[in-house]
């Protein structure tokens, strides 16, 4: 739980999992084992999902540029962010935002 909290507080940081493990006073291998046992996901995959969830909230609740959201959520650029967002949610960040806007307009 300390590692998850640390990851959540450092979504935009470009830290390695070795640095996360060091922060929570364990080894990278033990961190991996604990994550698999408790989340059924690797630490890297879990951190990626945290970043994507945060990005999704920003897309839904702000008018920030997609590039700014990508950088704030730890992605190297907008295209890298768009790739992972589409892989996780089945649509691009722009189409997600447009769809949300259309739904809000109808309500």
């Amino acid at each position: 739980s300390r590692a998850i909290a640390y990851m959540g507080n450092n979504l935009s940081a470009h830290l390695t999992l070795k640095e996360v493990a060091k922060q929570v006073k364990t080894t990278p291998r033990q961190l991996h084992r604990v994550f698999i046992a408790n989340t059924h996901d690797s630490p890297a995959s879990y951190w990626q999902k945290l970043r994507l969830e945060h990005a999704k909230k920003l897309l839904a609740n702000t008018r920030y540029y997609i590039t700014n959201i990508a950088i704030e959520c730890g992605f190297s650029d907008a295209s890298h962010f768009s790739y992972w967002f589409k892989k996780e949610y089945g649509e691009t960040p722009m189409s997600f935002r447009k769809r949300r806007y259309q739904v809000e307009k109808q309500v």
Side-chain angles (χ1 to χ4, degrees):
S1 63
R2 290 189 335 246
I4 291 171
Y6 184 74
M7 290 172 171
N9 291 329
N10 291 283
L11 293 174
S12 64
H14 293 282
L15 301 171
T16 65
L17 290 173
K18 186 176 181 179
E19 292 167 308
V20 173
K22 183 178 178 182
Q23 184 68 28
V24 297
K25 297 175 179 35
T26 191
T27 65
R29 180 69 185 128
Q30 183 61 23
L31 181 69
H32 185 82
R33 281 188 204 114
V34 170
F35 260 84
I36 295 295
N38 291 292
T39 67
H40 306 289
D41 229 339
S42 71
S45 179
Y46 193 91
W47 204 354
Q48 179 90 321
K49 288 177 184 176
L50 284 177
R51 288 176 164 148
L52 289 168
E53 287 173 19
H54 182 60
K56 192 173 185 181
K57 289 176 190 170
L58 291 174
L59 285 166
N61 299 314
T62 71
R63 289 288 171 203
Y64 296 160
Y65 291 117
I66 289 175
T67 301
N68 294 21
I69 291 172
I71 291 167
E72 183 173 329
C73 294
F75 294 91
S76 56
D77 56 42
S79 64
H80 186 235
F81 165 57
S82 293
Y83 170 82
W84 285 107
F85 190 92
K86 185 172 184 176
K87 189 171 182 168
E88 182 70 19
Y89 299 114
E91 62 184 330
T92 65
M94 184 61 80
S95 63
F96 171 79
R97 183 175 264 175
K98 282 181 183 177
R99 187 174 51 76
R100 287 274 304 184
Y101 177 73
Q102 292 299 324
V103 168
E104 288 175 6
K105 223 167 108 173
Q106 292 175 355
V107 172

